[in-house]
Amino acid sequence: MAENKTVHDVTYDLLRELGLTTVFGNPGSTEQTFLQDFPEDFTYVLALQEASALAMADGFAQSTGKPALVNLHTAAGTGNAMGSLVAAYRANTPLIVTAGQQTREMSIIDPYLNNPDATEFPKPWVKWSYEPARAEDVPAAFMQAYAVAMQEPKGPVYLSIPLDDWHKPALGPAVVRTVSQRTAPDGERLREFADRINRAQRPLLVLGPEVDRAGGWDAGIAFAEKLGAPVRGSALADRVSFPETHALYAGPMPMTIAEVNQVLQGHDLVIVIGAQVFRYYPYVAGDYLPQGTELIQMTVDPHLASAAPVGDSLLGDVRIGLEQLVDLIDTPVGRQAPTPLDRDRAVRTSATSEPLTADEVYATLATVKPDDSPVVMESTSTMAELFQWLPTTRSGSFFATGSGGIGWGVPGAVGLALGDRERGVDRHIVATIGDGSFQYSIQAIWTAAQHKLPIVFVVLRNEAYEVLKSFALLEQTPNVPALDLPGLDIPSLATGFGCHTADVKTTDDLASEFKLALDADGPTVIVVHTQPELPHLG
């Protein structure tokens, strides 16, 4: 037995050894035995709600490339965090999510704040869910949680820990282990794929979020340039994996089965790397592939490989796969260069008395945003305008929710900024957020203000859930209620949480306030009045 050491002591020693010294949470009664005597070399990031705490940890882990530790409050806190947990799972973010549990002695009588089925609650949105059978197993459970979270496909894991476990004597020091975090694709199957690529006359390449997450940005460019084929991104991507200004780039994939089929017309082989086949959303029927078109997929995720409705799949780390595949394919002879994407259309402008168009907002931001500033996107009705005027040109520079649920963007931006600070990167985060989305996690801007984070939140105030109005048209569901958002005084709310604020109605004011925000000591919330504009869905 470790001399005079408790489970609490040994677990903190392990967390320190694993580099997990930042804890995201909102402390509740069942976590205080874990948080007691909080070490000076650890940092506790306070969020004002558990959904924000988990999304902040998600952004932090995506910035640092390391797992993050989240501490939730039993069933109630876990319930609050579930939406953000879905996003982390879909984005393959490695998180160790812990929740305090009532004492073991009282568990059988189901006391207040008990979580009787703690390990079932977060499923299926975690890779592993566990409550140690005895207090002495808590450190080993953390070590296993780390190993599971960091093995591909990475993702969140969940530990439920009774509050009285932390005071129990430890059996000894925790065993620290290492595990492989990358798995190479099968070499023989990779060569088969290369042969099919070499035989293709009119291939299309799709590079999805896994490529950027795996550090494969440069490998993707090298492969695409040797292939000489048009490149598309995933629909509704949470990461961008190819420069959107590159001559080979042809835009993101559409969201419906029918429109995907149209895009694939004329291609004899579709090469999908690091993406789902495909990320569909509204249902518009059609054939998955045009006649005469074949498809191959490389992904690290067995679920995405098994869920693909067509094509042949290869499992493995996509960066390793791209680096090997580029040497296996031939430089094509006589392949015609794809038609460059047209980015020369005019900005849709507003009349003097009207709110700004989304075009005007993003075109203005393009003139003032620093080149190294990443964008966090959660204005679902203006995705096309952001792509047109504010394209992603470098790795680790675009982030969005992995699940499609709104409320991730604001705390996700906070986590990214904290992660940048952790790794010594000095840059501003630019978060373009819809006015409806901003309300979901508005309390996260308090954390940004407390830490004086370099974030510019640009809130597009169109006073509506405009994307839902597009769905109402697509789905032929007239007279849907509650799609308008009048009466929100967002600048006053942001001021109350401690942020610099601005309320703008012209492009000149937007540019001026954005420049001031870059010099501000802490976050700024810029509310931009915009026109309601229906986005295209399919």
Side-chain angles (χ1 to χ4, degrees), residues 431-481:
T432 58
I433 313 291
D435 52 357
S437 178
F438 196 69
Q439 307 312 307
Y440 270 63
S441 301
I442 192 170
Q443 69 281 342
I445 65 175
W446 177 86
T447 304
Q450 292 295 306
H451 289 265
K452 298 186 181 300
L453 297 177
I455 308 173
V456 186
F457 296 101
V458 180
V459 183
L460 288 85
R461 179 76 174 111
N462 64 7
E463 302 192 21
Y465 293 121
E466 204 64 18
V467 70
L468 296 182
K469 294 183 179 182
S470 285
F471 273 102
L473 292 174
L474 179 68
E475 297 167 353
Q476 299 180 21
T477 53
N479 302 317
V480 174

Coordinates of all heavy atoms in Angstrom, one line a residue, residues 431-481:
A431 N -15.3 34.1 -34.2 CA -16.4 33.2 -34.1 C -17.6 33.9 -34.7 O -18.1 34.9 -34.2 CB -16.7 32.9 -32.7
T432 N -18.1 33.4 -35.9 CA -19.3 33.9 -36.5 C -20.5 33.1 -36.1 O -20.6 31.9 -36.4 CB -19.1 33.9 -38.0 OG1 -18.9 32.6 -38.5 CG2 -18.0 34.8 -38.5
I433 N -21.4 33.7 -35.3 CA -22.5 33.0 -34.6 C -23.8 33.6 -35.0 O -24.0 34.8 -35.0 CB -22.3 33.1 -33.1 CG1 -20.8 32.7 -32.7 CG2 -23.2 32.2 -32.4 CD1 -20.4 31.3 -32.9
G434 N -24.8 32.8 -35.2 CA -26.2 33.3 -35.4 C -26.8 33.8 -34.1 O -26.4 33.3 -33.0
D435 N -27.7 34.7 -34.3 CA -28.3 35.3 -33.0 C -29.1 34.2 -32.2 O -29.1 34.3 -31.0 CB -29.2 36.5 -33.4 CG -30.2 36.2 -34.4 OD1 -30.3 35.1 -35.0 OD2 -31.0 37.2 -34.7
G436 N -29.7 33.3 -32.9 CA -30.4 32.2 -32.2 C -29.4 31.3 -31.5 O -29.5 30.9 -30.3
S437 N -28.3 30.9 -32.2 CA -27.3 30.0 -31.7 C -26.6 30.6 -30.5 O -26.3 30.0 -29.5 CB -26.3 29.7 -32.8 OG -25.3 28.9 -32.3
F438 N -26.4 32.0 -30.5 CA -25.7 32.6 -29.5 C -26.4 32.5 -28.1 O -25.7 32.4 -27.1 CB -25.6 34.1 -29.8 CG -24.5 34.9 -29.0 CD1 -23.2 34.6 -29.2 CD2 -24.9 35.9 -28.1 CE1 -22.2 35.3 -28.5 CE2 -23.9 36.6 -27.4 CZ -22.6 36.3 -27.6
Q439 N -27.7 32.3 -28.1 CA -28.4 32.2 -26.8 C -28.2 30.9 -26.2 O -28.4 30.8 -25.0 CB -29.9 32.4 -27.1 CG -30.3 33.7 -27.8 CD -29.5 34.9 -27.2 OE1 -29.6 35.2 -26.0 NE2 -28.9 35.7 -28.1
Y440 N -27.9 29.8 -26.9 CA -27.8 28.5 -26.4 C -26.7 28.4 -25.3 O -26.8 27.7 -24.3 CB -27.5 27.5 -27.5 CG -28.7 26.9 -28.1 CD1 -29.6 27.7 -28.8 CD2 -29.0 25.6 -28.0 CE1 -30.7 27.2 -29.4 CE2 -30.1 25.0 -28.6 CZ -31.0 25.8 -29.3 OH -32.1 25.3 -29.9
S441 N -25.6 29.1 -25.5 CA -24.5 29.0 -24.6 C -23.9 30.4 -24.3 O -22.7 30.5 -24.1 CB -23.4 28.1 -25.1 OG -23.9 26.8 -25.4
I442 N -24.8 31.3 -24.2 CA -24.3 32.7 -24.0 C -23.5 32.9 -22.7 O -22.6 33.7 -22.7 CB -25.5 33.7 -24.0 CG1 -25.0 35.1 -24.1 CG2 -26.4 33.5 -22.8 CD1 -26.1 36.2 -24.4
Q443 N -23.7 32.0 -21.7 CA -23.0 32.2 -20.5 C -21.5 31.9 -20.6 O -20.7 32.3 -19.8 CB -23.5 31.2 -19.4 CG -23.3 29.8 -19.6 CD -24.3 29.2 -20.6 OE1 -25.4 29.8 -20.9 NE2 -24.0 28.0 -21.1
A444 N -21.1 31.2 -21.8 CA -19.7 30.9 -22.0 C -18.9 32.2 -22.2 O -17.6 32.2 -22.0 CB -19.6 30.0 -23.2
I445 N -19.5 33.3 -22.6 CA -18.7 34.5 -22.8 C -18.2 35.1 -21.5 O -17.2 35.8 -21.5 CB -19.5 35.6 -23.6 CG1 -20.7 36.1 -22.9 CG2 -19.9 35.0 -25.0 CD1 -21.4 37.2 -23.6
W446 N -18.8 34.7 -20.4 CA -18.3 35.1 -19.1 C -16.9 34.5 -18.9 O -16.0 35.2 -18.4 CB -19.3 34.7 -18.0 CG -18.8 35.0 -16.6 CD1 -19.0 36.2 -15.9 CD2 -18.1 34.1 -15.7 NE1 -18.4 36.1 -14.7 CE2 -17.8 34.9 -14.5 CE3 -17.6 32.8 -15.8 CZ2 -17.1 34.3 -13.5 CZ3 -16.9 32.3 -14.8 CH2 -16.7 33.0 -13.6
T447 N -16.8 33.2 -19.2 CA -15.5 32.6 -19.0 C -14.4 33.3 -19.9 O -13.3 33.5 -19.5 CB -15.6 31.1 -19.4 OG1 -16.6 30.5 -18.5 CG2 -14.3 30.4 -19.1
A448 N -14.8 33.6 -21.2 CA -13.9 34.3 -22.1 C -13.5 35.6 -21.5 O -12.3 36.0 -21.5 CB -14.6 34.5 -23.4
A449 N -14.4 36.3 -20.8 CA -14.1 37.6 -20.2 C -13.2 37.5 -19.0 O -12.2 38.2 -18.8 CB -15.4 38.4 -19.9
Q450 N -13.5 36.5 -18.2 CA -12.7 36.3 -17.0 C -11.2 35.9 -17.3 O -10.3 36.3 -16.6 CB -13.3 35.1 -16.2 CG -14.6 35.4 -15.5 CD -14.5 36.5 -14.5 OE1 -13.7 36.5 -13.6 NE2 -15.3 37.6 -14.7
H451 N -11.0 35.2 -18.4 CA -9.7 34.8 -18.8 C -9.1 35.8 -19.8 O -7.9 35.6 -20.3 CB -9.7 33.4 -19.4 CG -9.9 32.3 -18.4 ND1 -8.9 31.7 -17.8 CD2 -11.1 31.8 -17.9 CE1 -9.4 30.8 -17.0 NE2 -10.7 30.9 -17.0
K452 N -9.8 36.9 -20.2 CA -9.3 37.9 -21.1 C -8.8 37.3 -22.4 O -7.7 37.5 -22.9 CB -8.2 38.8 -20.5 CG -8.7 39.6 -19.3 CD -7.6 40.5 -18.8 CE -8.1 41.3 -17.5 NZ -9.3 42.1 -17.8
L453 N -9.7 36.5 -23.0 CA -9.3 35.7 -24.2 C -9.4 36.5 -25.5 O -10.4 37.3 -25.6 CB -10.2 34.4 -24.3 CG -10.0 33.4 -23.2 CD1 -11.0 32.3 -23.3 CD2 -8.6 32.9 -23.1
P454 N -8.5 36.3 -26.4 CA -8.6 37.1 -27.7 C -9.6 36.5 -28.7 O -9.2 35.8 -29.6 CB -7.1 37.0 -28.2 CG -6.7 35.7 -27.7 CD -7.3 35.5 -26.3
I455 N -10.8 36.8 -28.4 CA -11.9 36.2 -29.3 C -12.8 37.4 -29.8 O -13.1 38.3 -29.0 CB -12.8 35.3 -28.5 CG1 -12.0 34.1 -27.9 CG2 -13.9 34.6 -29.5 CD1 -12.8 33.2 -27.0
V456 N -13.1 37.4 -31.1 CA -14.1 38.3 -31.6 C -15.3 37.5 -32.0 O -15.2 36.7 -32.9 CB -13.5 39.1 -32.8 CG1 -14.5 40.2 -33.3 CG2 -12.2 39.7 -32.5
F457 N -16.4 37.7 -31.3 CA -17.6 37.1 -31.6 C -18.4 38.0 -32.5 O -18.7 39.2 -32.2 CB -18.5 36.8 -30.3 CG -17.9 35.9 -29.4 CD1 -17.2 36.3 -28.2 CD2 -18.0 34.5 -29.6 CE1 -16.7 35.4 -27.3 CE2 -17.4 33.6 -28.7 CZ -16.8 34.1 -27.6
V458 N -18.7 37.6 -33.7 CA -19.5 38.3 -34.7 C -20.9 37.7 -34.7 O -21.0 36.6 -35.3 CB -18.9 38.4 -36.1 CG1 -19.7 39.2 -37.0 CG2 -17.5 39.0 -36.0
V459 N -21.9 38.3 -34.1 CA -23.2 37.8 -34.1 C -24.1 38.4 -35.2 O -24.3 39.6 -35.2 CB -23.9 38.1 -32.7 CG1 -25.2 37.4 -32.6 CG2 -22.9 37.5 -31.6
L460 N -24.5 37.5 -36.1 CA -25.4 38.0 -37.2 C -26.8 38.0 -36.7 O -27.5 37.0 -36.5 CB -25.2 37.0 -38.4 CG -23.9 37.2 -39.1 CD1 -22.8 36.3 -38.5 CD2 -24.0 36.8 -40.6
R461 N -27.4 39.2 -36.6 CA -28.7 39.4 -35.9 C -29.7 39.6 -37.0 O -30.0 40.7 -37.5 CB -28.6 40.7 -35.0 CG -29.9 41.0 -34.4 CD -30.2 40.1 -33.2 NE -31.4 40.5 -32.4 CZ -32.5 39.8 -32.4 NH1 -32.7 38.7 -33.1 NH2 -33.5 40.3 -31.7
N462 N -30.3 38.4 -37.5 CA -31.4 38.5 -38.5 C -32.7 38.3 -37.9 O -33.7 38.2 -38.6 CB -31.1 37.5 -39.6 CG -31.1 36.1 -39.2 OD1 -31.5 35.8 -38.0 ND2 -30.8 35.2 -40.1
E463 N -32.8 38.1 -36.6 CA -34.0 38.0 -35.8 C -34.9 36.8 -36.2 O -36.1 36.9 -36.1 CB -34.9 39.3 -35.9 CG -34.1 40.5 -35.5 CD -35.0 41.8 -35.3 OE1 -36.2 41.6 -35.2 OE2 -34.4 42.9 -35.3
A464 N -34.2 35.7 -36.6 CA -35.0 34.5 -37.0 C -34.2 33.3 -37.0 O -32.9 33.4 -37.1 CB -35.6 34.8 -38.4
Y465 N -34.8 32.1 -36.9 CA -34.2 30.9 -37.2 C -34.4 30.7 -38.7 O -35.2 29.9 -39.2 CB -34.8 29.7 -36.5 CG -34.6 29.8 -35.0 CD1 -35.7 29.8 -34.1 CD2 -33.3 29.7 -34.4 CE1 -35.5 29.9 -32.7 CE2 -33.1 29.8 -33.1 CZ -34.2 29.8 -32.2 OH -34.0 29.9 -30.8
E466 N -33.5 31.3 -39.5 CA -33.8 31.4 -41.0 C -33.6 30.0 -41.6 O -34.3 29.6 -42.6 CB -32.9 32.4 -41.6 CG -33.4 32.9 -42.9 CD -34.7 33.7 -42.8 OE1 -35.0 34.2 -41.7 OE2 -35.3 33.9 -43.8
V467 N -32.6 29.2 -41.1 CA -32.4 27.9 -41.7 C -33.7 27.0 -41.5 O -34.0 26.2 -42.4 CB -31.1 27.2 -41.2 CG1 -31.3 26.8 -39.7 CG2 -30.7 26.0 -42.0
L468 N -34.4 27.2 -40.4 CA -35.6 26.4 -40.2 C -36.7 26.8 -41.2 O -37.5 26.0 -41.5 CB -36.0 26.5 -38.8 CG -35.0 25.9 -37.7 CD1 -35.6 26.1 -36.3 CD2 -34.7 24.5 -38.0
K469 N -36.7 28.0 -41.6 CA -37.7 28.5 -42.6 C -37.4 27.8 -43.9 O -38.3 27.5 -44.7 CB -37.7 30.0 -42.7 CG -38.2 30.7 -41.5 CD -38.2 32.2 -41.6 CE -38.7 32.9 -40.4 NZ -38.9 34.4 -40.5
S470 N -36.1 27.6 -44.2 CA -35.8 26.8 -45.4 C -36.2 25.4 -45.3 O -36.7 24.8 -46.3 CB -34.3 26.9 -45.7 OG -33.9 28.1 -46.2
F471 N -36.1 24.8 -44.2 CA -36.6 23.4 -44.0 C -38.1 23.4 -44.1 O -38.6 22.4 -44.7 CB -36.1 22.9 -42.6 CG -34.8 22.2 -42.6 CD1 -33.7 22.9 -42.1 CD2 -34.6 21.0 -43.1 CE1 -32.4 22.3 -42.1 CE2 -33.4 20.4 -43.1 CZ -32.3 21.1 -42.6
A472 N -38.8 24.4 -43.6 CA -40.2 24.4 -43.8 C -40.7 24.4 -45.2 O -41.6 23.7 -45.6 CB -40.8 25.6 -43.0
L473 N -39.9 25.1 -46.1 CA -40.2 25.1 -47.5 C -39.9 23.7 -48.1 O -40.6 23.2 -48.9 CB -39.4 26.2 -48.2 CG -39.9 27.6 -47.8 CD1 -38.9 28.6 -48.5 CD2 -41.3 27.9 -48.3
L474 N -38.7 23.2 -47.8 CA -38.3 21.9 -48.4 C -39.2 20.8 -48.0 O -39.5 20.0 -48.8 CB -36.8 21.6 -47.9 CG -36.2 20.3 -48.4 CD1 -36.0 20.4 -49.9 CD2 -34.9 20.0 -47.7
E475 N -39.6 20.8 -46.7 CA -40.4 19.7 -46.2 C -41.9 20.0 -46.4 O -42.8 19.2 -46.0 CB -40.1 19.5 -44.7 CG -38.7 19.0 -44.5 CD -38.2 19.1 -43.1 OE1 -39.0 19.6 -42.2 OE2 -37.1 18.6 -42.8
Q476 N -42.3 21.1 -47.0 CA -43.7 21.5 -47.3 C -44.5 21.5 -46.0 O -45.5 20.8 -45.9 CB -44.3 20.6 -48.3 CG -43.5 20.7 -49.7 CD -44.1 19.8 -50.8 OE1 -45.3 19.4 -50.7 NE2 -43.3 19.5 -51.8
T477 N -44.0 22.2 -45.0 CA -44.7 22.3 -43.7 C -45.0 23.7 -43.4 O -44.2 24.4 -42.7 CB -43.8 21.7 -42.6 OG1 -42.5 22.3 -42.6 CG2 -43.6 20.2 -42.8
P478 N -46.1 24.3 -43.9 CA -46.3 25.7 -43.7 C -46.8 26.0 -42.3 O -47.2 25.1 -41.5 CB -47.5 26.0 -44.7 CG -48.1 24.6 -44.9 CD -47.1 23.6 -44.8
N479 N -46.7 27.2 -41.9 CA -47.2 27.8 -40.6 C -46.6 27.1 -39.4 O -47.2 26.9 -38.4 CB -48.7 27.6 -40.5 CG -49.4 28.3 -41.7 OD1 -49.1 29.4 -42.0 ND2 -50.4 27.6 -42.3
V480 N -45.2 26.8 -39.5 CA -44.5 26.4 -38.3 C -44.3 27.5 -37.4 O -43.9 28.6 -37.8 CB -43.1 25.8 -38.7 CG1 -42.3 25.4 -37.5 CG2 -43.3 24.6 -39.6
P481 N -44.7 27.4 -36.1 CA -44.5 28.5 -35.2 C -43.1 28.7 -34.7 O -42.2 27.9 -34.8 CB -45.5 28.1 -34.0 CG -45.3 26.6 -34.0 CD -45.2 26.2 -35.4

